Amino acid sequence: MDRIRIKGGRELGGDVRISGSKNATLPILAATILVDGPVLLRNVPYLKDVEGMCRILKHLGVESHRHANGDLEMEVKDKTPYKAPYDLVRTMRASFVTLGPLWARRGVGEVSYPGGCVFGHRPVDLHLKGLEAIGAVLNHHDGYITLSGPVRGGTVFMGGPFGSTVLGTANVVMAATLAKGMTYIECAALEPEIADLCHFLNACGAKISSIGSHLLEIEGVDTLHGCEWSVIPDRIEAGTFLTGAVMTNSDVRVTDVEPHHLLAVVDRLRATGANVEMGDDWIRNIPTATGRVQAADVTTLPYPGFPTDIQAQFMALMAKAEGVSVITEKVYPERFMHAAELVRLGARIRREGACAIVEGTDNLAGAPVMASDLRASASLVLMGLVAEGQTDVGRVYHIDRGYELIEQKFRRLGADIERIREG
Ligand code: EPU
């Protein structure tokens, strides 16, 4: 298994180009099940999760082909398969979003329940409630859920006790594009990845309006046709590099981004005293005279709030801040696996339910650590950049799921970082 080795203490500098968004790409890939004819996708990152989704789609009759220039072409070749088996789904929860498209396009959709997750219970009840509200007849059996019946459309309330669900909204939106009538999705997720999915579907002939709002209106159409589409930039990758720039007090610019997708992150970075500037398609951290950040509290929330997917990285930043910060996780209250590993590097972190209390320190020293999930591994890499000595981050396959060439990008910025290949 590969490791990432970082020797801390270097200042970074320069531009880093942000890749296409993983979390926008995955539902768009699933949506190709709905489409007749080829789809050409641009700005699709080279990631394990993208490969994984293509593997599942191949099983479902959708062929993918990467062109030499990086464009990804998708086309349905066989419309008969309707079942996504456990062996494939358990490797990637996001593949549960094939359920809505399979049902809507093929009349029946059968997908395994995804099972457990390292950051706590992640149910799919709201996906199913939403799909049922637009006509799905549900049948649970042997760890699978099967949907059948006509896609009627209707009114759906996507919210749960905490807010909305991102992939649940994606599942219902996709099925509703081929409904026999109108669908109104109230409390739809506001994440930019959902807006990107909706714009993509409209480019294929769907009729979705009020995109980007909490009330999506979808007029069902008979068929969808192929199109060319460029995926939005990855706001989480951008936020990760910016946090790293602030941690190392470096002059780093993230480019090819949508700055308005990162307002909550920039707000919190500025609250630490960081000097962050935004342009049309870039965000830059300008080093400060002292180089020391102040503690700032953060609470993760659905978009446009602070993303849970940057909570671990922000915790790493707070580990070296001046003062005590409280990090509250409102999206996944158990998503704190990284805290114990950060402690191995010298961080002072105490858990209190859905909160972590972080007391900043200058005494951070490298050590071997283990990644528990994608964003946890990113936080460990960031800590490695500032910890004294050598940090080896194990289980790097987590990071390869969602960050394209992370060590190469950091090395180009001047970090002492390398991948150690094993086995
Ligand atoms: N929830 C339910 N019932 C449901 C669905 C969700 O109770 O049926 C709860 C979850 O347990 C959680 C909250 O709703 O407490 C929000 O979960 P959501 O459904 O919005 O998450 P998701 O759609 O499964 C996507 C991203 C995650 C990201 C979350 C939150 C993709 C592929 N995944 O997951 O990304 O953390 O939204 O923003 O888009 C990552 O990239 O590292 C990652 C985990």
Side-chain angles (χ1 to χ4, degrees):
M1 255 189 272
D2 293 0
R3 279 174 294 145
I4 288 184
R5 175 165 292 170
I6 311 135
K7 291 183 185 135
R10 288 239 191 130
E11 198 177 308
L12 311 182
D15 284 0
V16 54
R17 187 191 174 276
I18 297 306
S19 303
S21 159
K22 166 180 86 77
N23 289 349
T25 300
L26 297 177
I28 287 176
L29 288 176
T32 61
I33 293 173
L34 297 163
V35 178
D36 293 327
V39 170
L40 192 73
L41 298 174
R42 305 218 160 83
N43 206 28
V44 175
Y46 284 87
L47 297 173
K48 287 282 175 226
D49 270 10
V50 171
E51 285 171 21
M53 186 61 109
C54 289
R55 202 172 315 120
I56 291 165
L57 288 171
K58 186 177 169 61
H59 183 88
L60 295 171
V62 188
E63 293 292 331
S64 58
H65 171 68
R66 267 281 186 185
H67 291 275
N69 65 0
D71 291 354
L72 183 64
E73 191 167 329
M74 310 291 298
E75 187 169 3
V76 175
K77 297 288 185 189
D78 179 0
K79 293 190 184 113
T80 54
Y82 60 86
K83 179 172 176 173
Y86 178 57
D87 275 355
L88 294 175
V89 175
R90 73 185 166 81
T91 61
M92 194 178 37
R93 295 186 62 84
S95 57
F96 197 72
V97 284
T98 56
L99 183 62
L102 284 173
W103 168 51
R105 186 65 187 88
R106 301 188 181 172
V108 185
E110 186 171 336
V111 178
S112 154
Y113 280 99
C117 171
V118 289
F119 42 92
H121 184 45
R122 286 178 78 184
V124 289
D125 55 322
L126 298 174
H127 296 234
L128 301 182
K129 188 180 84 166
L131 291 162
E132 196 170 24
I134 60 167
V137 177
L138 273 52
N139 181 21
H140 309 257
H141 60 98
D142 309 322
Y144 284 79
I145 176 80
T146 305
L147 304 192
S148 58
V151 188
R152 281 195 323 260
T155 299
V156 179
F157 182 72
M158 274 322 299
F162 47 81
S164 192
T165 152
V166 180
L167 292 178
T169 302
N171 239 333
V172 177
V173 164
M174 289 190 277
T177 57
L178 295 184
K180 286 291 166 221
M182 285 296 297
T183 300
Y184 301 91
I185 305 180
E186 179 56 286
C187 201
L190 299 176
E191 271 67 9
E193 294 76 18
I194 292 297
D196 203 39
L197 170 69
C198 292
H199 288 301
F200 162 76
L201 289 164
N202 277 357
C204 296
K207 291 190 176 163
I208 308 173
S209 48
S210 308
I211 296 172
S213 80
H214 58 84
L215 176 60
L216 295 173
E217 297 180 19
I218 306 170
E219 185 184 337
V221 297
D222 289 338
T223 54
L224 296 180
H225 54 72
C227 75
E228 293 184 17
W229 190 252
S230 187
V231 174
I232 55 168
D234 197 311
R235 63 193 170 102
I236 307 301
E237 187 197 16
T240 301
F241 276 93
L242 274 176
T243 308
V246 174
M247 282 177 82
T248 53
N249 195 33
S250 300
D251 191 344
V252 168
R253 213 169 62 124
V254 293
T255 70
D256 300 83
V257 297
E258 295 275 6
H260 61 279
H261 291 168
L262 283 136
L263 295 180
V265 176
V266 168
D267 176 73
R268 287 296 81 196
L269 292 176
R270 284 178 174 159
T272 71
N275 193 1
V276 181
E277 276 188 3
M278 296 206 260
D280 287 347
D281 68 348
W282 54 264
I283 307 178
R284 175 180 172 198
N285 179 60
I286 298 163
T288 59
T290 64
R292 189 87 199 261
V293 292
Q294 304 300 313
D297 296 341
V298 72
T299 299
T300 68
L301 289 168
Y303 189 85
F306 190 93
T308 171
D309 292 341
I310 304 190
Q311 182 255 106
Q313 300 88 313
F314 196 82
M315 190 181 289
L317 172 65
M318 289 299 93
K320 73 178 286 284
E322 223 159 64
V324 176
S325 55
V326 179
I327 297 181
T328 307
E329 178 52 72
K330 290 237 171 148
V331 180
Y332 297 113
E334 296 298 320
R335 193 179 193 178
F336 286 116
M337 299 285 283
H338 45 279
E341 295 300 300
L342 293 174
V343 166
R344 285 180 53 72
L345 299 171
R348 297 181 187 158
I349 304 169
R350 192 161 48 85
R351 255 301 286 283
E352 291 277 353
C355 296
I357 295 135
V358 188
E359 190 188 333
T361 171
D362 266 338
N363 271 336
L364 300 168
V369 282
M370 287 283 190
S372 54
D373 79 78
L374 169 56
R375 310 304 172 187
S377 25
S379 75
L380 297 172
V381 168
L382 296 188
M383 277 288 265
L385 296 173
V386 295
E388 206 178 305
Q390 181 171 299
T391 299
D392 271 6
V393 182
R395 299 195 187 144
V396 160
Y397 54 87
H398 285 298
I399 216 162
D400 294 334
R401 295 185 63 166
Y403 287 92
E404 189 176 56
L405 306 172
I406 191 167
E407 77 277 15
Q408 290 186 30
K409 287 187 177 184
F410 270 121
R411 197 163 49 240
R412 266 187 235 126
L413 291 174
D416 187 340
I417 181 168
E418 62 177 329
R419 179 179 291 250
I420 317 254
R421 297 199 181 273
E422 279 175 10

